[in-house]
Amino acid sequence: ICSAFFLALLTACGSSSQAVTGDTITSNNVNTRNAEILLKHSPVGTTELTWDANSSTLNVKIALTGLTPNSSHAAHIHAGTCTVDGAVIYPLKPVVANARGDGTSETIISNVRDGIPAQGWYINVHNGLLTSSIEHRPISCGNVTSSDASSKKEQSVRVVMTGTTA
């Protein structure tokens, strides 16, 4: 039923050549409006941040479900919150999805001297690898909050990543 719905949606939007295989829709002549429909996803999951005071390293592990199968997505730690955009603090390795749309990324960042702040950071995952305006759109976001921010020992924070509406 879903495949038939999306085929009807693409046909109504003016695409000229589609093929439906299971739940996958392919198109040879998709206009920009259709491309946006095909690229949009709303993944959810978690990000685990672990800071080691002895080595001043921050380990960031992202795990998301609901991505387009076999896709890659830029990710960053930003200043601010999911609702108040800020500058990139740390770039992260891309989130890479497998054939089921489950994506992971692990980045180790050196020289993080002050640990994980109580607030003021958020994790942002984009719609692609940032090669177009569509790929810059955020598709999953999570605010970082640490109740252990004043501690200068090892810290661990789990961030819930939710889909975005942008």
Side-chain angles (χ1 to χ4, degrees):
I1 294 175
C2 288
S3 295
F5 170 76
F6 280 97
L7 180 60
L9 179 64
L10 285 172
T11 303
C13 292
S15 179
S16 65
S17 175
Q18 302 90 12
V20 177
T21 310
D23 288 334
T24 304
I25 299 173
T26 59
S27 179
N28 294 331
N29 186 18
V30 178
N31 65 30
T32 303
R33 194 165 103 191
N34 290 344
E36 288 185 40
I37 291 169
L38 293 175
L39 288 174
K40 237 173 179 196
H41 12 208
S42 190
V44 297
T46 60
T47 298
E48 301 288 338
L49 296 102
T50 305
W51 179 66
D52 184 326
N54 293 328
S55 63
S56 296
T57 58
L58 179 65
N59 188 1
V60 182
K61 294 181 183 179
I62 301 172
L64 298 174
T65 61
L67 293 163
T68 297
N70 304 312
S71 60
S72 296
H73 306 271
H76 306 98
I77 296 175
H78 287 262
T81 67
C82 290
T83 56
V84 180
D85 196 23
V88 172
I89 297 173
Y90 299 111
L92 304 172
K93 290 184 180 176
V95 177
V96 178
N98 63 19
R100 292 182 312 273
D102 299 331
T104 60
S105 168
E106 183 171 1
T107 306
I108 297 175
I109 304 165
S110 300
N111 300 316
V112 180
R113 304 246 182 253
D114 296 323
I116 302 167
Q119 58 188 14
W121 283 5
Y122 67 98
I123 310 293
N124 194 13
V125 177
H126 296 273
N127 198 35
L129 294 175
L130 309 180
T131 60
S132 70
S133 63
I134 291 172
E135 290 185 355
H136 275 268
R137 292 181 182 171
I139 58 170
S140 187
C141 192
N143 292 314
V144 177
T145 56
S146 173
S147 59
D148 199 17
S150 62
S151 173
K152 293 302 176 190
K153 58 182 176 143
E154 183 171 303
Q155 294 172 280
S156 292
V157 174
R158 183 173 212 208
V159 177
V160 175
M161 302 293 293
T162 59
T164 64
T165 58

